[in-house]
Amino acid sequence: MRVHRVLVDLIPPMNPDLEKLVRLHRVDSDLRRVESELAVIPRLRQEIDDRLARDRSHLEAAKAALEGSQKARRQNEASVQDLETKRSKYKGQLMEVKTNKEYTAVLHEIEGVERDIKTREDVILEEMEKAEALGLDVKREEADFKLVEADAKKEKADLDARAATLGAEAQRLGKERDEVAASVPEESLALYTRVAKQRGTGVAEARDGMCQSCHVRMRVQIWVEVRKNEQIFQCESCSRVVFYDPPPPTVVVEP
Ligand SMILES: [Zn+2]
């Protein structure tokens, strides 16, 4: 068996206060991300409810159209009944008229009533056909709504579970943040807090001679110092505390 020797580049230790500030910055960033994810959940829930309300209104509209058609049919059926009563009455009168003129007049009334009946019966047939199609619409909308409702229920349950996870995560990070902040010397913490308030973040990574938050290039002698992570330096442009994150140790495997 061949023996491999592993060489690891040692990374010089970071200034402890700088290290705490970097940790504070990372916890703060995580906390902000979790809090902003948490903050959008009520809006996402509202969107689901809005979508559900829209779909419910489609179903209600289909039901209303069907009911409207059924109501129109019933009204016309009632009218036909009334008209048939009227026609019977006129037919009875036909037996009692004394003159031709009266006879013609009653016959004329009967014709009018029968035309009216015919018109209404046509409407009844139309409404029956319409109701058949509208009934299918209602069935389809009901089936659609059932699916949408089940989806919405599941989506909301997922969101609630996500909110619970994020809430617990935010609480944990908040606690961690307090602990880290308590370990940072007062002066450094004041500096961090002041810059964070002004810039949104108090710490920035420096890479390739540049502050990675404001993207302004550092003077070479400052960059040389920053790379050592031995002292707390602020970016001359944005005032953030800068740190250097060296690449992971290179592992050289010698045969
Ligand atoms: Zn900067």
Side-chain angles (χ1 to χ4, degrees), residues 204 210-216 218 235-240 242:
M210 232 195 274
C211 165
Q212 295 299 305
S213 287
C214 72
H215 302 285
V216 168
M218 296 171 177
C235 167
E236 287 181 302
S237 167
C238 71
S239 304
R240 289 180 179 94
V242 282

Side-chain angles (χ1 to χ4, degrees), residues 54-197:
R54 267 200 307 279
D55 284 322
R56 188 180 282 119
S57 74
H58 291 162
L59 172 60
E60 298 304 330
K63 281 183 177 170
L66 177 61
E67 275 162 25
S69 169
Q70 286 167 337
K71 194 177 168 197
R73 178 181 150 190
R74 281 195 304 272
Q75 279 170 346
N76 279 286
E77 281 170 347
S79 299
V80 167
Q81 266 186 352
D82 289 347
L83 289 165
E84 278 169 347
T85 310
K86 216 166 164 186
R87 183 174 62 183
S88 302
K89 212 177 83 194
Y90 282 134
K91 281 191 171 166
Q93 280 178 16
L94 267 189
M95 309 298 160
E96 293 158 14
V97 291
K98 304 279 187 288
T99 64
N100 254 345
K101 200 183 164 199
E102 275 176 346
Y103 186 84
T104 313
V106 174
L107 211 55
H108 194 72
E109 292 293 341
I110 290 174
E111 278 167 13
V113 168
E114 282 180 341
R115 266 199 309 276
D116 219 355
I117 288 174
K118 174 80 177 65
T119 307
R120 285 175 191 274
E121 279 175 345
D122 287 347
V123 172
I124 289 167
L125 277 177
E126 269 170 40
E127 290 298 344
M128 281 168 83
E129 279 173 26
K130 225 164 104 184
E132 208 174 312
L134 291 171
L136 291 176
D137 283 352
V138 169
K139 279 211 171 73
R140 200 189 55 239
E141 291 291 350
E142 269 171 349
D144 283 356
F145 185 69
K146 235 179 207 167
L147 289 178
V148 169
E149 206 178 23
D151 278 353
K153 202 175 159 190
K154 197 190 163 298
E155 279 177 48
K156 283 209 271 189
D158 287 349
L159 280 180
D160 289 346
R162 176 130 189 81
T165 307
L166 289 169
E169 182 71 354
Q171 213 164 24
R172 187 188 66 73
L173 287 167
K175 221 175 128 206
E176 190 182 340
R177 198 235 172 247
D178 290 346
E179 279 164 16
V180 178
S183 75
V184 179
E186 212 172 305
E187 206 183 316
S188 298
L189 186 63
L191 167 67
Y192 174 90
T193 309
R194 197 171 58 242
V195 180
K197 203 172 165 189

